[in-house]
């Protein structure tokens, strides 16, 4: 520890440290436990109170006790002290505690360094534009605090902040070089702690009444798609997720075995599109039905679901193609067909009876499907608020409650079909989406989550039937917002109908999308592309590091050269004086460079007597500010020059 | 080219000096700039050299200033047979007390007029100049301080006159300023002729300030603010003399200091708290001419050379 580090802390520097601690910890409030927020807040308030009343800071034993309490609380909350959440919680609490220990300059520097480190931790939670903007602001403030610590009380706030802003701006070239050239790691950022991907929203791999209607209340974006050509009509946009074949009376599940193959016959030319999938911690790619062209590492299973081997834990881009009209598995494996006829024994007797009655009247599958669709079209209500269902859930739904969301209709429909002897299954995924007219990206949200049915017909293969379309045709034609009556708990952002609000939302989403596509989407692949465009193909991380080193050295050298050789800044008073001389020149009063302001005034007196007095005021103000003692008030000169016009 | 401007006036009003300048101007007609330079030289704690033909009013100016400032005045007429002891003083043996007694020479006065300094031999000249520089006199091993304030006005005839020993450059440098009075213009001369002798009227002047107050004023003058841009200007001027082919050699750093302190005095007389470029331009010829040698004539630089110099430097 050097002598300067042991120096007592300047009392007036403390508010800067409080501000730094506050801005670097504040965003964590959003995702931390209430008691942690309260603890950190109380500690900071106490520290501020002690500072304001100039009271003694707590002793070593009190602090040690606080550390113990904080750590054990965190351990009880998270069952660990490691990992992302627990680690960040510790840092936040320690930051607050450090404010109770601000005795020397060294303590203050610890706060600043901890502040810089805390800035980094926010990126573990969010990499959005607001986060970036906030952290930029925080970086500025923390840097200003560091300058204030070393600059002493002579540094006024404005000088400190201006200096910090200049430093931050000077860092921009380095930031760009590091961003573009630092070797990119494919995979999660810095090998994130294992709990980093907890709590992501998205489609689940099972379906039960209520599972999709819960998801539909979230405005989070599931994925974005950009079509090379025109966007297909909404009722054709079925984004395929997991296919559920097993039913236990309450929950639909995908079948375990992934055996078998999918055979597709395309009836329409493929439509190409690019999908940017938000992380959902699942393995499926929600490809548009039916996927005909898949990227590497993505495979189709027998149910036409596209999956990759690893769960998607970071935003990914895929190039895909789909055929909207297709024949799928006309020669389905008999085992699969048997499986898709199976029903749990002894439940939903009424539904079974209804299906068998339909079958006895007319045996054609098409007419049975028509019967079911006609049934749904009559007295059923499409709602996010379905009543709870008991053991015979489908009977209760079909014959008593008659209120449900898409998972109820899809489940009941498939049950009826199977009971009538038609192989059928539930497909979950997303339907529709909203086209942002500003950047032509189709945005699909969690609120677009959907479930529909697939039936297997002789000669046609698996055919999609959307029973929800019978209940509420608008759901499929225009979207969920128009399909649900007002007052349903849809997220507010999706419901904005006012045109300016909608435009605002489109703008913001387009901006976010651009940020995702161009800033966050700069991955190893794009880096390679950029480098090969710069004439550096096949670069490994060693040559990248070398390049990085060379460019940073050159940047430092350039900045040093600029600092050493830049022309001295023109004095603002002199600039104003030159402006005044310019005004004289316009009146044909020309002055030589050697003429003193007084001589110029004399000249004005001779050539422009009507201006003499006004100009004498300019001269007096100028002489005062340029040659006077410690006078940097430019206002009188500005005013005098203004009167010259 | 003096202008009245409204920029701030310092606390110690130079009012007595306005009167001093005005009353001296009534003795030496039409020479207000030269009188002002002479007073500025005094305020800047420097010595003054007046170079002119006989009969131009040099002695009268010195006499008038001594009267107005209430200074103890003595005059030394330099001749070729003047000895150093005639200036500094001698010790004589007093028989009744059987000891040597020092008889102070004419240099022991607050204002010394050294008339026609270039008529004396270099040895005598240097005795005076050393006293000017040191502010003290050493006779027979005993150092005696000169009175305070101490101000020398030396006059000299133009160097080409017969029977003169021109002052060497090193000694010219001891004078803060050199001025020339020159012939009066027509109106001034007419006034002079109409008014009768100027010497008698100089004797009638009364002192307007006590010599004891002068050191305080000199300190105040030395504290006049010279801002960085002004120092830049002085430096640019100095630099220009060193690179200008019109001069054999440039101005010394001591000349630079002299220029700045003269400009401070000029600013003070103008009632300003800070030096402005006008002050520097006003005193530059008086401060620089005798220190510079013109390359063309091998004589001292002329006022035109200095004007050219000023015109070559932009005001920072």
């Amino acid at each position: 520890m050097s002598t300067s580090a042991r120096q007592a802390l300047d009392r007036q520097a403390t508010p800067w440290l409080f501000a730094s601690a506050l801005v670097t910890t504040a965003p964590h409030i959003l995702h931390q436990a209430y008691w942690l927020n309260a603890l950190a807040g109380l500690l900071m308030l106490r520290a501020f109170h002690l500072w304001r009343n100039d009271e003694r800071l707590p002793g070593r034993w009190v602090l040690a006790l606080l550390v113990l309490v904080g750590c054990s609380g965190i351990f009880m909350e998270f069952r660990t002290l490691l990992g992302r959440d627990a680690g960040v919680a510790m840092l936040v609490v320690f930051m607050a505690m450090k404010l109770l220990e601000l005795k020397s300059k060294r303590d203050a520097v610890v706060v600043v360094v901890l502040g810089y480190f805390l800035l980094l931790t926010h990126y573990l939670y969010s990499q959005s534009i607001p986060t970036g903007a906030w952290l930029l602001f925080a970086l500025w403030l923390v840097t200003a605090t560091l300058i204030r610590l070393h600059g002493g009380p002579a540094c006024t706030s404005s000088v400190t902040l201006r200096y910090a802003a200049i430093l931050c701006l000077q860092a921009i070239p380095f930031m760009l070089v590091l961003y573009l050239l630092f070797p990119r790691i494919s995979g999660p950022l810095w090998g994130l702690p294992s709990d980093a991907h907890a709590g992501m929203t998205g489609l689940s791999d099972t379906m039960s009444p209520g599972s999709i209607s819960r998801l539909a209340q979230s405005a989070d974006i599931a994925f974005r798609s950009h079509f090379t050509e025109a966007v297909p009509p909404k009722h054709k946009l079925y984004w395929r997720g997991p296919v559920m074949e097993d039913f236990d009376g309450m929950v639909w599940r995908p079948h375990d075995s992934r055996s078998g193959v999918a055979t597709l016959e395309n009836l329409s030319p493929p439509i190409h599109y690019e999908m940017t999938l938000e992380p959902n911690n699942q393995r499926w790619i929600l490809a548009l039905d039916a996927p005909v062209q898949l990227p590497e590492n993505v495979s189709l299973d027998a149910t036409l679901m596209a999956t990759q081997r690893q769960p998607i834990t970071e935003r990914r881009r895929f190039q895909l193609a789909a055929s909207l009209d297709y024949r799928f598995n006309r020669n389905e494996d008999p085992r699969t067909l048997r499986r898709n006829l199976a029903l749990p024994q002894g439940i939903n007797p009424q539904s079974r009876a209804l299906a068998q009655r339909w079958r006895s009247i007319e045996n054609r599958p098409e007419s049975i499907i028509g019967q079911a669709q006609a049934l749904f079209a009559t007295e059923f209500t499409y709602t996010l608020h379905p009543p709870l269902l008991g053991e015979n859930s489908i009977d209760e739904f079909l014959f008593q409650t008659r209120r449900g969301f898409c998972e109820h209709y899809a489940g009941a429909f498939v049950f009826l079909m199977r009971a009538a002897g038609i192989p059928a299954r539930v497909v979950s995924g997303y339907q529709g989406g909203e086209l942002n007219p500003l950047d032509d990206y189709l945005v699909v949200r969690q609120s677009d989550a959907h479930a529909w049915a697939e039936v297997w017909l002789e000669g046609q293969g698996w055919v999609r039937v959307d029973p929800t379309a019978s209940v509420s045709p608008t759901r499929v034609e225009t979207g969920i917002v128009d399909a649900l009556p007002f007052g349903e708990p849809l997220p507010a952002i999706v419901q904005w109908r006012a045109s300016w609000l909608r435009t605002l939302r489109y703008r913001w989403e387009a901006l976010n999308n651009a940020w995702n596509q161009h800033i966050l989407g700069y991955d190893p692949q794009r880096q390679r592309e950029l480098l090969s465009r710069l004439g550096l193909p096949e670069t490994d991380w060693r040559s990248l590091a070398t390049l990085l080193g060379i460019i940073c050295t050159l940047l430092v050298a350039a900045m040093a050269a600029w600092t050493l050789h830049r022309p001295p800044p023109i004095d603002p008073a002199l600039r104003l004086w030159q402006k005044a001389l310019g005004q004289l020149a316009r009146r044909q009063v020309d002055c030589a460079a050697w003429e003193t302001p007084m001589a110029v005034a004399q000249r004005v007196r001779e050539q422009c007597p009507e201006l003499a007095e006004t100009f004498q005021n300019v001269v007096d103000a100028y002489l005062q500010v340029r040659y006077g003692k410690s006078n940097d008030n430019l206002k009188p000169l500005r005013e005098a020059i203004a009167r010259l016009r | 080219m003096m202008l009245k401007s409204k920029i701030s006036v310092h606390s110690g009003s130079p009012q007595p000096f306005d009167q001093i300048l005005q009353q001296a101007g009534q003795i030496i007609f039409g020479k207000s700039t030269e009188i002002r330079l002479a007073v500025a030289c005094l305020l800047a704690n420097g010595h003054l050299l007046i170079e002119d033909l006989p009969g131009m009013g040099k002695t009268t100016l010195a006499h008038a200033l001594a009267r107005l400032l209430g200074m103890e005045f003595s005059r030394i007429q330099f001749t070729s047979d003047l000895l150093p002891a005639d200036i500094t003083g001698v010790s004589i043996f007093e028989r009744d007390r059987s000891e040597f007694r020092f008889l102070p020479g004419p240099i022991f006065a607050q204002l010394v007029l050294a008339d026609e300094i270039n008529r004396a031999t270099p040895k005598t000249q240097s005795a005076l100049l050393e006293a000017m520089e040191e502010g003290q006199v050493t006779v027979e091993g005993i150092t005696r301080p000169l009175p305070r304030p101490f101000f020398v006005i030396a006059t000299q005839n133009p160097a080409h006159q017969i029977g003169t020993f021109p002052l060497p450059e090193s000694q010219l440098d001891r004078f803060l300023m050199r001025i020339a009075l020159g012939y009066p213009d027509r109106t001034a001369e007419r006034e002079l002729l109409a008014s009768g002798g100027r010497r008698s009227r100089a004797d009638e002047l009364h002192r307007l300030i006590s010599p004891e107050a002068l050191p305080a004023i000199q300190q105040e003058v030395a504290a006049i603010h010279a801002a960085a841009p002004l120092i830049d200007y002085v430096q640019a001027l100095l630099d220009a003399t060193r690179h200008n082919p019109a001069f054999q050699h440039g101005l010394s750093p001591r000349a630079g200091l002299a220029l700045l302190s003269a400009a401070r005095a000029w600013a003070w007389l103008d009632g300003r708290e800070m030096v402005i470029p006008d002050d520097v331009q006003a005193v530059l010829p008086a401060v620089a001419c005798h220190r510079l040698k013109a390359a063309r004539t091998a004589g001292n630089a002329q006022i035109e050379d200095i004007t050219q110099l000023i015109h070559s430097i932009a005001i920072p």
Side-chain angles (χ1 to χ4, degrees):
Chain A
M1 202 198 301
S2 70
T3 11
S4 73
R6 251 182 260 126
Q7 281 169 4
L9 181 62
D10 169 22
R11 193 180 138 74
Q12 297 308 318
T14 313
W16 287 91
L17 293 164
F18 282 119
S20 286
L22 211 58
V23 294
T24 53
T25 52
H28 283 313
I29 292 174
L30 299 175
H31 48 74
Q32 253 179 8
Y34 292 118
W35 72 268
L36 272 170
N37 287 336
L39 176 67
L42 281 176
L43 289 173
M44 285 191 192
L45 269 178
R46 177 72 186 144
F48 183 74
H49 186 253
L50 289 180
W51 169 79
R52 208 182 47 186
N53 297 346
D54 218 357
E55 284 176 44
R56 251 172 64 89
L57 292 171
R60 198 171 294 172
W61 289 109
V62 180
L63 288 175
L65 191 71
L66 276 175
V67 171
L68 200 68
V69 168
C71 287
S72 36
I74 290 165
F75 187 79
M76 290 206 292
E77 173 90 27
F78 299 100
R79 297 281 146 203
T80 175
L81 291 178
L82 304 173
R84 178 185 68 165
D85 290 333
V88 167
M90 290 243 282
L91 286 176
V92 169
V93 172
F94 285 175
M95 176 62 122
M97 282 183 201
K98 195 69 202 170
L99 296 179
L100 283 170
E101 205 191 20
L102 288 178
K103 285 172 183 147
S104 65
K105 211 169 182 177
R106 180 183 170 279
D107 296 316
V109 172
V110 168
V111 168
V112 169
V113 173
L114 194 56
Y116 278 123
F117 191 80
L118 271 166
L119 291 184
L120 212 62
T121 60
H122 296 292
Y123 286 123
L124 300 180
Y125 293 92
S126 162
Q127 301 176 19
S128 65
I129 298 174
T131 309
W134 177 266
L135 293 188
L136 221 54
F137 167 71
L139 176 76
W140 177 42
L141 198 68
V142 174
T143 308
T145 307
L146 190 61
I147 292 167
R148 177 62 183 73
L149 282 180
H150 293 285
C155 271
T156 61
S157 302
S158 61
V159 168
T160 309
L161 287 172
R162 196 182 319 141
Y163 193 36
I166 291 172
L167 278 182
C168 290
L169 289 178
Q170 282 173 339
I172 285 178
F174 293 95
M175 184 193 78
L176 287 178
V177 169
L178 287 171
Y179 171 78
L180 291 173
L181 295 183
F182 193 85
R184 296 256 151 188
I185 306 150
S186 62
L189 189 67
W190 308 311
L192 283 178
S194 54
D195 58 352
H197 306 298
M200 288 172 177
T201 51
L203 215 54
S204 140
D205 59 354
T206 61
M207 190 190 84
S208 55
S211 66
I212 292 183
S213 46
R214 263 196 308 278
L215 190 59
Q217 298 176 28
S218 158
D220 289 352
I221 289 170
F223 57 89
R224 292 177 168 93
S225 288
H226 186 63
F227 289 87
T228 326
E229 288 135 43
V231 182
K234 267 194 178 170
H235 65 270
K236 298 226 166 182
L237 294 174
Y238 280 85
W239 310 92
R240 197 180 186 94
V243 176
M244 327 261 184
E245 293 179 325
D246 294 351
F247 183 53
D248 64 359
M250 190 52 86
V251 182
W252 290 90
R253 284 194 179 81
H255 188 68
D256 282 342
S257 74
R258 297 282 168 221
S259 61
V261 281
T263 40
L264 262 181
E265 297 158 53
N266 303 338
L267 302 179
S268 65
I271 293 171
H272 293 270
Y273 65 101
E274 185 190 67
M275 173 185 266
T276 309
L277 194 58
E278 297 291 317
N280 53 20
N281 219 9
Q282 302 283 7
R283 301 186 310 131
W284 52 73
I285 318 294
L286 295 146
L288 186 60
D289 239 1
V292 292
Q293 191 184 312
L294 294 168
E296 270 180 72
N297 301 329
V298 175
S299 54
L300 272 186
D301 70 359
T303 62
L304 215 56
M305 182 169 70
T307 51
Q308 68 164 22
R309 236 165 270 140
Q310 300 297 322
I312 296 155
T313 52
E314 53 176 358
R315 193 176 289 109
R316 288 285 308 275
R317 247 196 316 268
F318 299 99
Q319 301 292 338
L320 296 160
S323 176
L324 296 178
D325 293 312
Y326 58 92
R327 291 262 167 82
F328 166 36
N329 273 11
R330 277 206 280 182
N331 304 313
E332 185 60 280
D333 180 6
R335 275 175 303 169
T336 311
L337 292 181
R338 265 200 305 280
R339 193 163 63 233
N340 282 300
L341 285 167
L343 286 175
Q345 292 302 311
I347 53 165
N348 300 324
Q350 279 180 285
S351 311
R352 274 172 206 266
L354 177 68
Q356 267 142 27
R357 198 164 62 242
W358 284 344
R359 192 179 172 163
S360 62
I361 296 168
E362 190 153 15
N363 204 10
R364 270 180 53 238
E366 284 85 352
S367 69
I368 296 174
I369 295 169
Q371 291 276 2
Q373 285 174 323
L375 172 71
F376 287 141
T378 53
E379 291 162 49
F380 283 83
T381 313
Y382 187 58
T383 175
L384 275 170
H385 274 313
L388 286 174
L389 298 171
E391 198 186 337
N392 289 316
S393 57
I394 292 176
D395 274 4
E396 283 175 41
F397 168 63
L398 284 178
F399 299 106
Q400 290 165 33
T401 63
R402 299 193 168 182
R403 294 165 65 81
F405 201 59
C406 49
E407 68 263 37
H408 297 87
Y409 295 100
F413 180 82
V414 169
F415 188 93
L416 286 172
M417 289 304 113
R418 286 186 180 187
I422 303 168
R425 58 194 183 188
V426 174
V427 185
S428 65
Y430 296 84
Q431 201 278 321
E434 185 182 26
L435 189 73
N436 187 335
L438 295 175
D439 58 0
D440 278 339
Y441 270 80
L442 187 82
V443 178
V444 179
R445 298 169 187 283
Q446 302 298 356
S447 56
D448 294 316
H450 193 52
W452 59 93
E454 245 179 6
V455 293
W456 189 83
L457 302 177
E458 189 70 47
Q460 294 185 52
W462 290 100
V463 175
R464 182 198 309 134
V465 180
D466 191 347
T468 309
S470 313
V471 187
S472 167
T474 37
R475 165 67 185 89
V476 180
E477 300 291 334
T478 58
I480 188 162
V481 180
D482 298 317
L484 285 173
F486 188 75
E488 293 277 344
L490 270 182
I493 185 172
V494 191
Q495 295 192 67
W496 286 352
R497 280 156 212 265
S499 66
W500 67 272
L501 271 176
R502 193 170 281 211
T503 316
L504 205 68
R505 178 159 64 84
Y506 283 148
R507 285 249 158 83
W508 175 239
E509 282 173 8
L511 183 69
N512 265 319
N513 186 34
W515 171 264
N516 292 341
Q517 299 292 337
H518 301 119
I519 308 289
L520 301 181
Y522 184 71
D523 53 12
Q525 176 61 32
R526 291 234 180 143
Q527 190 175 40
R528 269 198 297 279
E529 283 168 18
L530 177 82
L531 287 170
S532 61
R533 235 179 297 157
L534 293 175
L536 293 164
E538 301 301 314
T539 36
D540 59 353
W541 66 269
R542 282 186 198 81
S543 39
L544 262 185
T546 316
L547 186 65
L548 201 63
I550 292 171
I551 291 184
C552 283
T553 313
L554 286 178
L555 267 175
V556 170
M559 281 191 171
W562 179 75
T563 313
L564 293 174
H565 295 289
R566 67 175 159 178
I570 292 185
D571 187 81
L574 184 61
R575 196 177 300 144
L576 286 169
W577 172 246
Q578 282 164 351
K579 202 170 128 195
L581 289 184
Q583 302 237 350
L584 287 188
R586 238 172 285 146
R587 290 187 167 84
Q588 316 301 326
V589 184
D590 289 310
C591 312
W594 63 269
E595 280 183 296
T596 65
M598 290 289 206
V600 175
Q602 178 66 23
R603 195 182 275 277
V604 171
R605 209 163 287 227
E606 286 157 7
Q607 299 182 8
C608 256
E610 74 282 356
L611 207 64
E613 202 186 325
T614 328
F615 194 76
Q616 185 64 53
N617 289 334
V618 174
V619 169
D620 290 350
Y622 172 61
L623 290 176
Q624 194 62 53
V625 73
R626 182 118 171 99
Y627 298 102
K629 199 187 279 184
S630 64
N631 193 345
D632 49 5
N633 179 13
L634 290 169
K635 209 170 146 222
L637 178 57
R638 281 214 183 89
E639 285 170 0
I641 290 177
R643 278 195 296 274
L644 210 56
R645 288 199 195 101
Chain B
M1 201 177 57
M2 290 318 299
L3 284 160
K4 268 288 145 240
S5 95
K6 284 172 233 153
I7 41 182
S8 67
V9 166
H10 54 70
S11 49
S13 158
Q15 211 186 349
F17 278 85
D18 278 348
Q19 284 186 27
I20 288 169
L21 293 172
Q22 186 232 333
Q23 295 204 9
Q26 283 172 358
I27 309 294
I28 322 279
F29 295 108
K31 295 287 168 205
S32 64
T33 307
E34 286 76 7
I35 295 167
R36 206 180 177 88
L37 279 170
V39 172
C41 185
L42 168 74
L43 290 174
N45 210 1
H47 304 289
L48 179 67
L49 179 65
I50 308 180
E51 186 175 85
D52 228 325
L53 295 165
M56 296 293 203
K58 301 182 293 251
T59 315
T60 315
L61 175 62
H63 204 66
L65 283 182
R67 298 283 307 178
L68 288 167
L69 297 168
M71 288 166 103
E72 193 189 321
F73 177 73
S74 86
R75 176 184 172 160
I76 312 167
Q77 180 64 52
F78 279 53
T79 54
S80 53
D81 56 357
L82 191 78
L83 294 174
D86 297 333
I87 298 173
T88 55
V90 285
S91 294
I92 55 164
F93 187 74
E94 285 208 332
R95 190 160 301 173
D96 23 324
R97 283 205 245 159
S98 297
E99 59 177 21
F100 281 96
R101 188 167 67 89
F102 181 69
L103 284 181
I107 191 94
F108 286 88
Q110 287 169 324
L111 198 158
V112 178
L113 174 65
D115 227 349
E116 297 187 277
I117 187 172
N118 56 345
R119 292 215 179 273
T121 54
K123 193 178 176 184
T124 313
Q125 286 174 356
S126 70
L128 171 77
L129 293 161
E130 268 173 47
M132 279 164 52
E133 186 69 19
E134 310 284 327
Q136 59 190 25
V137 171
T138 306
V139 185
E140 288 146 14
I142 300 166
T143 302
R144 294 185 169 82
L146 292 171
R148 300 263 146 198
F150 178 64
F151 182 44
V152 174
I153 299 179
T155 71
Q156 75 171 350
N157 298 323
H160 49 78
Q161 283 212 330
I162 303 160
T164 57
F165 299 91
L167 289 171
E169 280 130 50
S170 63
Q171 306 213 330
L172 278 173
D173 201 32
R174 305 269 164 90
F175 291 98
L176 182 70
M177 292 185 191
R178 188 197 66 177
I179 57 171
L181 288 174
Y183 296 114
D185 59 27
R186 276 186 74 84
T187 31
E189 186 147 37
R190 190 170 181 82
E191 226 172 318
L192 170 68
L193 294 172
S195 68
R198 49 192 178 192
R199 222 13 220 287
S200 55
R201 285 195 300 118
D203 286 336
E204 289 161 19
L205 291 173
H206 298 292
R207 81 173 201 186
L208 292 168
I209 188 173
S210 77
E212 291 73 39
L214 206 55
I217 293 172
Q218 283 173 337
Q219 269 178 20
E220 203 180 301
V221 168
I224 293 279
H225 180 65
L230 188 104
I231 308 270
D232 289 345
Y233 184 49
V234 170
Q235 244 186 333
L237 287 169
L238 292 176
D239 204 50
T241 63
R242 292 166 195 167
H243 297 107
N244 194 328
F247 309 114
Q248 280 185 11
H249 51 76
L251 287 172
S252 67
R254 179 159 62 185
L257 286 169
L259 177 59
L260 200 55
S261 54
R264 282 196 166 100
W266 193 265
W268 189 87
L269 280 176
D270 224 16
R272 249 179 292 109
E273 281 180 321
M274 77 255 188
V275 189
I276 58 172
D278 301 83
D279 304 323
V280 178
Q281 289 188 357
V283 299
L284 185 64
V287 174
C289 271
H290 64 291
R291 290 180 162 98
L292 287 170
K293 265 209 178 332
R296 290 173 285 117
T297 59
N300 277 335
Q302 298 301 301
I303 207 124
E304 294 76 32
D305 300 323
I306 301 300
T307 312
Q308 226 164 41
L309 181 74
I310 288 174
H311 288 193
S312 70
I313 302 297
I315 307 289

